[in-house]
Amino acid sequence: MFKKLVIIVFTTLLLASCYGHRDASSFNTDWNGIYTYSTYRTNESTGTGIGESYTLTLADNRCNVDIVGYQVDKHFACYLETTTRPNYINIYDLDNKTKFGEVKRTGVDDYLIKVTYFDEYNEPDNNFYSLDKK
């Protein structure tokens, strides 16, 4: 009994360290996959067009965010946090702990993303956008 309990606790701690979210036992592997989102807009202050493609990779042992496009090439490891809302996950930059965004599952293979990450080219707008899962 004690040996089984130690294995369960170790496995839970290992999952928590891989994902970094608070309740590793509640992470549903149905979230695993590669998600993509692309956007194009104009920066009103400079008149410059800005196009970005986001790729979010969630797997049993990793979480990565890749942002590529005009004047942007950013890649970082991430971690997930579950929320009290059952169909939502929050995504954070592993290095600086800033929130990248949240993903909402609205149906079978139907996902939305709200990107809260921002830099000099990207300003969050608090809207959810369609996210494709490969």
Side-chain angles (χ1 to χ4, degrees), residues 83-111:
T83 70
T84 56
R85 301 171 294 177
N87 292 321
Y88 288 75
I89 56 172
N90 291 322
I91 302 154
Y92 293 86
D93 184 320
L94 187 61
D95 288 334
N96 62 24
K97 311 297 186 254
T98 58
K99 187 174 180 180
F100 166 74
E102 66 184 296
V103 176
K104 173 170 63 170
R105 182 178 19 224
T106 58
V108 176
D109 291 329
D110 190 22
Y111 299 88

Side-chain angles (χ1 to χ4, degrees), residues 4 8 12 14 25 31 33 42 62 71 75-76 88 92 115 131:
K4 189 174 185 179
I8 290 170
T12 302
L14 183 61
S25 63
W31 287 100
T42 303
R62 68 184 173 128
Q71 297 186 2
H75 311 273
F76 56 89
Y88 288 75
Y92 293 86
V115 177
L131 186 64

Side-chain angles (χ1 to χ4, degrees), residues 14-133:
L14 183 61
L15 283 173
S17 68
C18 290
Y19 282 110
H21 55 79
R22 293 184 182 135
D23 186 3
S25 63
S26 68
F27 182 77
N28 185 340
T29 57
D30 290 345
W31 287 100
N32 286 352
I34 298 173
Y35 300 82
T36 58
Y37 163 68
S38 294
T39 183
Y40 182 85
R41 66 195 175 289
T42 303
N43 182 324
E44 293 179 20
S45 63
T46 63
T48 305
I50 301 168
E52 295 175 323
S53 293
Y54 297 83
T55 301
L56 173 62
T57 305
L58 304 180
D60 288 334
N61 59 356
R62 68 184 173 128
C63 175
N64 288 3
V65 173
D66 299 297
I67 308 168
V68 295
Y70 178 72
Q71 297 186 2
V72 65
D73 186 23
K74 184 161 180 75
H75 311 273
F76 56 89
C78 55
Y79 67 95
L80 308 175
E81 279 190 354
T82 55
T83 70
T84 56
R85 301 171 294 177
N87 292 321
Y88 288 75
I89 56 172
N90 291 322
I91 302 154
Y92 293 86
D93 184 320
L94 187 61
D95 288 334
N96 62 24
K97 311 297 186 254
T98 58
K99 187 174 180 180
F100 166 74
E102 66 184 296
V103 176
K104 173 170 63 170
R105 182 178 19 224
T106 58
V108 176
D109 291 329
D110 190 22
Y111 299 88
L112 300 173
I113 189 168
K114 177 170 56 172
V115 177
T116 55
Y117 158 85
F118 69 96
D119 57 21
E120 59 272 20
Y121 302 107
N122 181 24
E123 294 182 14
D125 63 8
N126 287 327
N127 292 312
F128 278 93
Y129 297 98
S130 183
L131 186 64
D132 294 321
K133 182 178 182 184

